[in-house]
Amino acid sequence: MSIDYSSVDSILLLGDSITEMGFQPGGFVQRLAGYNTDWLLPVAEKVPVSRYKKNLLAMYSLYPPSIPTIFITPTPFRHDIWRDRDPEVTAGYGEAAKDLAKELGIGFVDSQKEFKGKKLAPLLSDGLHLKPAGYEIVFDAFMRLIRDKHPELAPERLPLALPSWDDHDMRDAGYKYAMEREAAESTSKQQEEEKKE
């Protein structure tokens, strides 16, 4: 499958269910599917760290160098709740992502570092997935990295795709359109009623 990314104004975020849940209120992601690296390239859940790194490289290689790439390392979790997960393995994923990002010369957000020293209970909804306060930590780190490595992508520097909400000409045009539409609907309704009579 080949996709022409040159004509798409977007940022592509790939991740697991923690990334996916970022679209919820308080999250930072608008819409995506929750895939881990094996599901994305296809299929199993527990991915060995060595294969995870290879998968990241394979995904990175799918996109042209003109598309800025940022890796976000896995966030911490509460081992007292998620006993089937190994914190050392999660840390290994993070190290693999950081090492590969450094090798490729791309940015990365070190989530483990960002959460270090913080109480996790108020930041995680179920001991694994982030609450709005947890997503705020990731978002703030992500935006610091954007402003540092890709300042052209900082929200305040991006051109608007549509006129600003406070553009008075657009508000007037919107009001005029709404009034014209309302009048047309009213006329149409009136004509239907006249046909019935």
Side-chain angles (χ1 to χ4, degrees), residues 141-178:
F142 181 76
M143 291 311 299
R144 281 194 311 272
L145 183 69
I146 289 286
R147 287 184 173 93
D148 181 46
K149 284 200 74 95
H150 302 287
E152 72 282 4
L153 296 178
E156 63 274 5
R157 302 212 36 210
L158 292 174
L160 295 174
L162 297 171
S164 176
W165 67 270
D166 61 352
D167 182 326
H168 292 286
D169 289 339
M170 286 307 298
R171 282 198 301 189
D172 292 343
Y175 177 77
K176 182 180 175 190
Y177 172 77

Side-chain angles (χ1 to χ4, degrees), residues 83-166:
R83 294 194 173 279
D84 64 327
R85 291 178 178 255
D86 184 345
E88 290 182 26
V89 172
T90 299
Y93 289 145
E95 288 302 314
K98 286 191 299 189
D99 291 348
L100 184 57
K102 287 177 183 176
E103 288 173 31
L104 297 171
I106 63 173
F108 66 92
V109 171
D110 186 348
S111 296
Q112 298 284 326
K113 179 181 167 190
E114 295 296 326
F115 282 79
K116 195 166 189 81
K118 294 179 173 51
K119 290 187 179 219
L120 294 179
L123 304 173
L124 304 173
S125 63
D126 59 0
L128 176 66
H129 297 96
L130 301 173
K131 287 182 179 177
Y135 280 115
E136 185 175 353
I137 292 168
V138 176
F139 176 78
D140 289 347
F142 181 76
M143 291 311 299
R144 281 194 311 272
L145 183 69
I146 289 286
R147 287 184 173 93
D148 181 46
K149 284 200 74 95
H150 302 287
E152 72 282 4
L153 296 178
E156 63 274 5
R157 302 212 36 210
L158 292 174
L160 295 174
L162 297 171
S164 176
W165 67 270
D166 61 352

Side-chain angles (χ1 to χ4, degrees), residues 3 5 12-14 37 40-41 51-72 96-108 149-150:
I3 301 170
Y5 293 98
L12 175 65
L13 301 170
L14 302 174
T37 58
L40 192 61
L41 284 173
R51 196 159 81 223
Y52 170 80
K53 188 173 179 180
K54 287 178 186 173
N55 289 348
L56 286 177
L57 180 58
M59 287 186 291
Y60 171 81
S61 301
L62 293 174
Y63 306 100
S66 60
I67 294 179
T69 303
I70 296 170
F71 290 161
I72 299 177
K98 286 191 299 189
D99 291 348
L100 184 57
K102 287 177 183 176
E103 288 173 31
L104 297 171
I106 63 173
F108 66 92
K149 284 200 74 95
H150 302 287

